[in-house]
Short mmCIF file of all heavy atoms in Angstrom, two decimals:
data_model
loop_
_atom_site.label_atom_id
_atom_site.label_comp_id
_atom_site.label_asym_id
_atom_site.label_seq_id
_atom_site.Cartn_x
_atom_site.Cartn_y
_atom_site.Cartn_z
N SER A 50 -7.96 7.00 4.30
CA SER A 50 -6.66 6.60 3.78
C SER A 50 -5.53 6.93 4.74
O SER A 50 -5.64 7.80 5.59
CB SER A 50 -6.39 7.30 2.44
OG SER A 50 -6.34 8.71 2.63
N ILE A 51 -4.42 6.18 4.57
CA ILE A 51 -3.15 6.47 5.25
C ILE A 51 -2.09 6.54 4.17
O ILE A 51 -2.03 5.67 3.29
CB ILE A 51 -2.76 5.38 6.26
CG1 ILE A 51 -3.94 4.99 7.15
CG2 ILE A 51 -1.59 5.86 7.13
CD1 ILE A 51 -3.69 3.74 7.98
N ARG A 52 -1.25 7.55 4.22
CA ARG A 52 -0.18 7.73 3.22
C ARG A 52 1.18 7.55 3.87
O ARG A 52 1.45 8.06 4.96
CB ARG A 52 -0.22 9.14 2.64
CG ARG A 52 -1.31 9.42 1.64
CD ARG A 52 -1.11 10.82 1.05
NE ARG A 52 0.14 10.90 0.31
CZ ARG A 52 0.68 12.04 -0.13
NH1 ARG A 52 0.11 13.20 0.11
NH2 ARG A 52 1.80 12.02 -0.82
N TYR A 53 2.06 6.84 3.15
CA TYR A 53 3.45 6.67 3.58
C TYR A 53 4.37 6.92 2.39
O TYR A 53 4.01 6.62 1.24
CB TYR A 53 3.71 5.24 4.05
CG TYR A 53 2.78 4.72 5.11
CD1 TYR A 53 1.59 4.08 4.76
CD2 TYR A 53 3.10 4.82 6.47
CE1 TYR A 53 0.74 3.56 5.72
CE2 TYR A 53 2.24 4.31 7.44
CZ TYR A 53 1.06 3.68 7.06
OH TYR A 53 0.22 3.17 8.02
N ASP A 54 5.55 7.41 2.68
CA ASP A 54 6.63 7.46 1.69
C ASP A 54 7.66 6.38 2.04
O ASP A 54 7.80 6.00 3.21
CB ASP A 54 7.34 8.83 1.70
CG ASP A 54 6.53 9.91 0.98
OD1 ASP A 54 5.53 9.55 0.32
OD2 ASP A 54 6.89 11.09 1.10
N ALA A 55 8.38 5.95 1.03
CA ALA A 55 9.46 4.99 1.28
C ALA A 55 10.52 5.63 2.17
O ALA A 55 10.82 6.82 2.03
CB ALA A 55 10.08 4.56 -0.03
N ASN A 56 11.10 4.85 3.07
CA ASN A 56 12.22 5.30 3.88
C ASN A 56 13.49 5.08 3.06
O ASN A 56 14.00 3.96 2.97
CB ASN A 56 12.28 4.51 5.19
CG ASN A 56 13.44 4.91 6.08
OD1 ASN A 56 14.18 5.84 5.77
ND2 ASN A 56 13.60 4.21 7.19
N LYS A 57 13.99 6.15 2.48
CA LYS A 57 15.16 6.04 1.59
C LYS A 57 16.44 5.71 2.36
O LYS A 57 17.45 5.35 1.77
CB LYS A 57 15.35 7.35 0.81
CG LYS A 57 14.15 7.74 -0.06
CD LYS A 57 13.89 6.73 -1.15
CE LYS A 57 12.77 7.19 -2.09
NZ LYS A 57 12.37 6.15 -3.05
N GLU A 58 16.39 5.87 3.69
CA GLU A 58 17.57 5.58 4.52
C GLU A 58 17.40 4.27 5.29
O GLU A 58 18.09 4.04 6.29
CB GLU A 58 17.81 6.72 5.51
CG GLU A 58 18.15 8.04 4.86
CD GLU A 58 18.48 9.13 5.88
OE1 GLU A 58 17.65 9.37 6.78
OE2 GLU A 58 19.58 9.69 5.79
N TYR A 59 16.49 3.41 4.84
CA TYR A 59 16.21 2.19 5.58
C TYR A 59 17.45 1.33 5.70
O TYR A 59 18.19 1.12 4.73
CB TYR A 59 15.08 1.41 4.91
CG TYR A 59 14.51 0.29 5.76
CD1 TYR A 59 14.23 0.50 7.11
CD2 TYR A 59 14.25 -0.97 5.22
CE1 TYR A 59 13.69 -0.51 7.91
CE2 TYR A 59 13.71 -1.98 6.00
CZ TYR A 59 13.44 -1.76 7.34
OH TYR A 59 12.92 -2.76 8.12
N TRP A 60 17.67 0.79 6.91
CA TRP A 60 18.90 0.05 7.19
C TRP A 60 18.96 -1.30 6.50
O TRP A 60 20.04 -1.85 6.33
CB TRP A 60 19.08 -0.10 8.71
CG TRP A 60 17.92 -0.74 9.42
CD1 TRP A 60 16.82 -0.11 9.92
CD2 TRP A 60 17.75 -2.12 9.71
NE1 TRP A 60 15.96 -1.01 10.50
CE2 TRP A 60 16.51 -2.26 10.40
CE3 TRP A 60 18.52 -3.27 9.48
CZ2 TRP A 60 16.03 -3.49 10.84
CZ3 TRP A 60 18.03 -4.50 9.92
CH2 TRP A 60 16.81 -4.60 10.59
N LYS A 61 17.82 -1.87 6.11
CA LYS A 61 17.82 -3.12 5.33
C LYS A 61 17.90 -2.74 3.86
O LYS A 61 16.88 -2.50 3.22
CB LYS A 61 16.55 -3.94 5.59
CG LYS A 61 16.45 -4.57 6.96
CD LYS A 61 15.23 -5.49 7.01
CE LYS A 61 14.97 -5.99 8.40
NZ LYS A 61 13.75 -6.83 8.47
N LYS A 62 19.09 -2.68 3.34
CA LYS A 62 19.30 -2.22 1.97
C LYS A 62 18.54 -3.10 0.96
O LYS A 62 18.59 -4.32 1.03
CB LYS A 62 20.80 -2.21 1.61
CG LYS A 62 21.65 -1.35 2.52
CD LYS A 62 21.21 0.11 2.50
CE LYS A 62 22.04 0.97 3.44
NZ LYS A 62 21.46 2.31 3.65
N GLY A 63 17.85 -2.45 0.04
CA GLY A 63 17.15 -3.17 -1.01
C GLY A 63 15.79 -3.71 -0.62
O GLY A 63 15.10 -4.30 -1.45
N GLU A 64 15.39 -3.52 0.65
CA GLU A 64 14.12 -4.08 1.11
C GLU A 64 12.92 -3.20 0.78
O GLU A 64 11.79 -3.68 0.79
CB GLU A 64 14.16 -4.32 2.62
CG GLU A 64 14.93 -5.56 3.02
CD GLU A 64 14.18 -6.83 2.68
OE1 GLU A 64 13.24 -7.20 3.39
OE2 GLU A 64 14.53 -7.46 1.66
N VAL A 65 13.14 -1.92 0.54
CA VAL A 65 12.03 -1.03 0.20
C VAL A 65 12.02 -0.86 -1.32
O VAL A 65 12.88 -0.20 -1.89
CB VAL A 65 12.16 0.33 0.91
CG1 VAL A 65 10.93 1.20 0.60
CG2 VAL A 65 12.29 0.14 2.41
N LYS A 66 11.03 -1.47 -1.96
CA LYS A 66 10.98 -1.50 -3.42
C LYS A 66 9.89 -0.60 -3.99
O LYS A 66 9.63 -0.60 -5.18
CB LYS A 66 10.75 -2.94 -3.88
CG LYS A 66 11.82 -3.92 -3.40
CD LYS A 66 11.53 -5.34 -3.81
CE LYS A 66 12.53 -6.32 -3.20
NZ LYS A 66 13.90 -6.14 -3.65
N LEU A 67 9.24 0.16 -3.11
CA LEU A 67 8.16 1.06 -3.51
C LEU A 67 8.57 2.51 -3.24
O LEU A 67 9.43 2.77 -2.42
CB LEU A 67 6.89 0.76 -2.71
CG LEU A 67 6.34 -0.68 -2.81
CD1 LEU A 67 5.30 -0.91 -1.73
CD2 LEU A 67 5.76 -0.93 -4.19
N ASP A 68 7.93 3.45 -3.94
CA ASP A 68 8.12 4.87 -3.64
C ASP A 68 7.10 5.34 -2.61
O ASP A 68 7.40 6.15 -1.75
CB ASP A 68 7.99 5.72 -4.91
CG ASP A 68 9.09 5.41 -5.91
OD1 ASP A 68 10.25 5.30 -5.49
OD2 ASP A 68 8.79 5.25 -7.11
N LYS A 69 5.89 4.80 -2.75
CA LYS A 69 4.82 5.19 -1.85
C LYS A 69 3.96 3.98 -1.51
O LYS A 69 3.83 3.06 -2.31
CB LYS A 69 3.94 6.29 -2.48
CG LYS A 69 4.68 7.60 -2.69
CD LYS A 69 3.79 8.67 -3.29
CE LYS A 69 4.58 9.94 -3.57
NZ LYS A 69 5.07 10.58 -2.34
N LEU A 70 3.38 4.03 -0.31
CA LEU A 70 2.44 3.01 0.14
C LEU A 70 1.19 3.74 0.62
O LEU A 70 1.28 4.72 1.35
CB LEU A 70 3.06 2.20 1.29
CG LEU A 70 2.15 1.21 2.01
CD1 LEU A 70 1.71 0.08 1.07
CD2 LEU A 70 2.86 0.63 3.23
N ILE A 71 0.04 3.26 0.19
CA ILE A 71 -1.23 3.87 0.58
C ILE A 71 -2.16 2.78 1.11
O ILE A 71 -2.33 1.74 0.47
CB ILE A 71 -1.91 4.59 -0.61
CG1 ILE A 71 -1.01 5.69 -1.17
CG2 ILE A 71 -3.27 5.15 -0.21
CD1 ILE A 71 -1.40 6.18 -2.54
N PHE A 72 -2.72 3.02 2.28
CA PHE A 72 -3.80 2.18 2.80
C PHE A 72 -5.11 2.86 2.41
O PHE A 72 -5.38 3.97 2.88
CB PHE A 72 -3.74 2.06 4.33
CG PHE A 72 -2.72 1.08 4.85
CD1 PHE A 72 -1.49 0.91 4.24
CD2 PHE A 72 -2.99 0.35 5.99
CE1 PHE A 72 -0.55 0.02 4.74
CE2 PHE A 72 -2.07 -0.54 6.52
CZ PHE A 72 -0.84 -0.72 5.89
N ALA A 73 -5.91 2.21 1.58
CA ALA A 73 -7.24 2.72 1.25
C ALA A 73 -8.23 1.96 2.14
O ALA A 73 -8.49 0.78 1.92
CB ALA A 73 -7.55 2.49 -0.22
N ILE A 74 -8.73 2.63 3.16
CA ILE A 74 -9.56 1.97 4.17
C ILE A 74 -10.96 1.73 3.59
O ILE A 74 -11.68 2.67 3.27
CB ILE A 74 -9.61 2.81 5.45
CG1 ILE A 74 -8.18 2.99 6.00
CG2 ILE A 74 -10.51 2.17 6.50
CD1 ILE A 74 -8.02 4.14 6.97
N THR A 75 -11.30 0.45 3.44
CA THR A 75 -12.53 0.04 2.76
C THR A 75 -13.16 -1.08 3.57
O THR A 75 -12.74 -2.24 3.48
CB THR A 75 -12.21 -0.44 1.33
OG1 THR A 75 -11.33 0.49 0.70
CG2 THR A 75 -13.46 -0.62 0.50
N THR A 76 -14.18 -0.76 4.35
CA THR A 76 -14.71 -1.72 5.31
C THR A 76 -15.51 -2.85 4.68
O THR A 76 -15.57 -3.95 5.22
CB THR A 76 -15.58 -1.01 6.36
OG1 THR A 76 -16.60 -0.27 5.68
CG2 THR A 76 -14.75 -0.06 7.20
N ASP A 77 -16.12 -2.61 3.53
CA ASP A 77 -16.97 -3.61 2.88
C ASP A 77 -16.13 -4.53 2.00
O ASP A 77 -15.50 -4.07 1.05
CB ASP A 77 -18.03 -2.89 2.04
CG ASP A 77 -19.07 -3.84 1.46
OD1 ASP A 77 -18.73 -5.01 1.15
OD2 ASP A 77 -20.23 -3.41 1.28
N PRO A 78 -16.11 -5.86 2.29
CA PRO A 78 -15.26 -6.77 1.50
C PRO A 78 -15.64 -6.84 0.02
O PRO A 78 -14.78 -7.02 -0.84
CB PRO A 78 -15.45 -8.13 2.17
CG PRO A 78 -16.71 -8.01 2.96
CD PRO A 78 -16.84 -6.57 3.34
N SER A 79 -16.93 -6.65 -0.30
CA SER A 79 -17.33 -6.69 -1.71
C SER A 79 -16.82 -5.45 -2.45
O SER A 79 -16.45 -5.52 -3.63
CB SER A 79 -18.85 -6.82 -1.85
OG SER A 79 -19.50 -5.75 -1.20
N VAL A 80 -16.75 -4.31 -1.74
CA VAL A 80 -16.21 -3.08 -2.35
C VAL A 80 -14.69 -3.23 -2.53
O VAL A 80 -14.13 -2.80 -3.55
CB VAL A 80 -16.56 -1.84 -1.50
CG1 VAL A 80 -15.90 -0.59 -2.08
CG2 VAL A 80 -18.06 -1.66 -1.42
N ARG A 81 -14.04 -3.86 -1.56
CA ARG A 81 -12.60 -4.10 -1.71
C ARG A 81 -12.34 -4.93 -2.97
O ARG A 81 -11.42 -4.65 -3.73
CB ARG A 81 -12.05 -4.83 -0.47
CG ARG A 81 -12.07 -4.01 0.80
CD ARG A 81 -11.16 -4.58 1.87
NE ARG A 81 -11.56 -5.86 2.40
CZ ARG A 81 -12.38 -6.06 3.41
NH1 ARG A 81 -12.94 -5.02 4.01
NH2 ARG A 81 -12.67 -7.27 3.85
N TYR A 82 -13.17 -5.94 -3.15
CA TYR A 82 -13.02 -6.80 -4.33
C TYR A 82 -13.23 -6.02 -5.62
O TYR A 82 -12.48 -6.17 -6.59
CB TYR A 82 -14.01 -7.97 -4.21
CG TYR A 82 -14.00 -8.94 -5.37
CD1 TYR A 82 -12.86 -9.16 -6.15
CD2 TYR A 82 -15.16 -9.65 -5.69
CE1 TYR A 82 -12.88 -10.07 -7.20
CE2 TYR A 82 -15.17 -10.57 -6.73
CZ TYR A 82 -14.04 -10.76 -7.49
OH TYR A 82 -14.05 -11.66 -8.54
N GLN A 83 -14.23 -5.15 -5.65
CA GLN A 83 -14.48 -4.35 -6.86
C GLN A 83 -13.29 -3.44 -7.16
O GLN A 83 -12.89 -3.28 -8.31
CB GLN A 83 -15.76 -3.50 -6.67
CG GLN A 83 -17.05 -4.31 -6.62
CD GLN A 83 -17.23 -5.22 -7.83
OE1 GLN A 83 -17.00 -4.82 -8.97
NE2 GLN A 83 -17.60 -6.47 -7.58
N LYS A 84 -12.69 -2.87 -6.11
CA LYS A 84 -11.52 -2.00 -6.30
C LYS A 84 -10.32 -2.81 -6.80
O LYS A 84 -9.56 -2.34 -7.66
CB LYS A 84 -11.16 -1.29 -4.99
CG LYS A 84 -12.16 -0.21 -4.59
CD LYS A 84 -11.73 0.47 -3.30
CE LYS A 84 -12.67 1.61 -2.95
NZ LYS A 84 -12.28 2.31 -1.72
N LEU A 85 -10.17 -4.01 -6.28
CA LEU A 85 -9.08 -4.88 -6.73
C LEU A 85 -9.25 -5.22 -8.21
O LEU A 85 -8.31 -5.15 -8.99
CB LEU A 85 -9.04 -6.15 -5.87
CG LEU A 85 -7.88 -7.10 -6.13
CD1 LEU A 85 -6.57 -6.50 -5.64
CD2 LEU A 85 -8.11 -8.45 -5.46
N LYS A 86 -10.46 -5.60 -8.59
CA LYS A 86 -10.75 -5.94 -9.99
C LYS A 86 -10.48 -4.76 -10.92
O LYS A 86 -9.99 -4.94 -12.03
CB LYS A 86 -12.21 -6.38 -10.15
CG LYS A 86 -12.48 -7.80 -9.77
CD LYS A 86 -13.74 -8.36 -10.42
CE LYS A 86 -14.99 -7.69 -9.97
NZ LYS A 86 -16.20 -8.38 -10.48
N ALA A 87 -10.82 -3.56 -10.45
CA ALA A 87 -10.68 -2.36 -11.29
C ALA A 87 -9.25 -1.83 -11.32
O ALA A 87 -8.96 -0.86 -12.03
CB ALA A 87 -11.62 -1.26 -10.76
N GLY A 88 -8.35 -2.46 -10.57
CA GLY A 88 -6.97 -1.98 -10.53
C GLY A 88 -6.80 -0.77 -9.63
O GLY A 88 -5.78 -0.09 -9.69
N GLU A 89 -7.79 -0.49 -8.80
CA GLU A 89 -7.70 0.65 -7.89
C GLU A 89 -6.86 0.30 -6.66
O GLU A 89 -6.45 1.17 -5.91
CB GLU A 89 -9.09 1.11 -7.46
CG GLU A 89 -9.91 1.65 -8.61
CD GLU A 89 -11.29 2.09 -8.18
OE1 GLU A 89 -11.54 2.11 -6.95
OE2 GLU A 89 -12.10 2.41 -9.05
N CYS A 90 -6.69 -0.99 -6.41
CA CYS A 90 -5.74 -1.41 -5.39
C CYS A 90 -5.06 -2.68 -5.87
O CYS A 90 -5.58 -3.38 -6.75
CB CYS A 90 -6.39 -1.57 -4.03
SG CYS A 90 -7.80 -2.66 -3.94
N GLN A 91 -3.92 -2.96 -5.29
CA GLN A 91 -3.12 -4.11 -5.73
C GLN A 91 -3.25 -5.31 -4.80
O GLN A 91 -3.01 -6.44 -5.20
CB GLN A 91 -1.63 -3.72 -5.84
CG GLN A 91 -1.34 -2.86 -7.05
CD GLN A 91 -2.03 -1.52 -6.98
OE1 GLN A 91 -1.85 -0.76 -6.03
NE2 GLN A 91 -2.85 -1.23 -7.97
N ILE A 92 -3.58 -5.06 -3.53
CA ILE A 92 -3.75 -6.14 -2.55
C ILE A 92 -4.96 -5.80 -1.69
O ILE A 92 -5.19 -4.62 -1.39
CB ILE A 92 -2.51 -6.30 -1.64
CG1 ILE A 92 -1.23 -6.50 -2.47
CG2 ILE A 92 -2.68 -7.47 -0.68
CD1 ILE A 92 0.03 -6.65 -1.65
#
């Protein structure tokens, strides 16, 4: 995984609509699909 926090001082006002962003590194496409179906990831 990779963890990020929103940049609260971002110069493009209103462009950051999340509090946190997480990359869940999942190499198998069928596992990615299962996680998406289960609501474990959004994209």
Side-chain angles (χ1 to χ4, degrees):
S50 63
I51 313 169
R52 284 186 63 191
Y53 306 89
D54 282 350
N56 179 4
K57 301 297 185 188
E58 296 184 305
Y59 193 44
W60 56 272
K61 289 187 188 177
K62 301 301 178 192
E64 282 287 283
V65 183
K66 302 177 186 296
L67 303 167
D68 295 316
K69 294 181 184 295
L70 172 65
I71 301 164
F72 280 37
I74 300 161
T75 313
T76 55
D77 187 328
S79 58
V80 176
R81 293 197 293 272
Y82 179 28
Q83 292 305 316
K84 289 181 176 181
L85 185 70
K86 279 203 295 188
E89 295 180 8
C90 55
Q91 286 64 57
I92 305 179

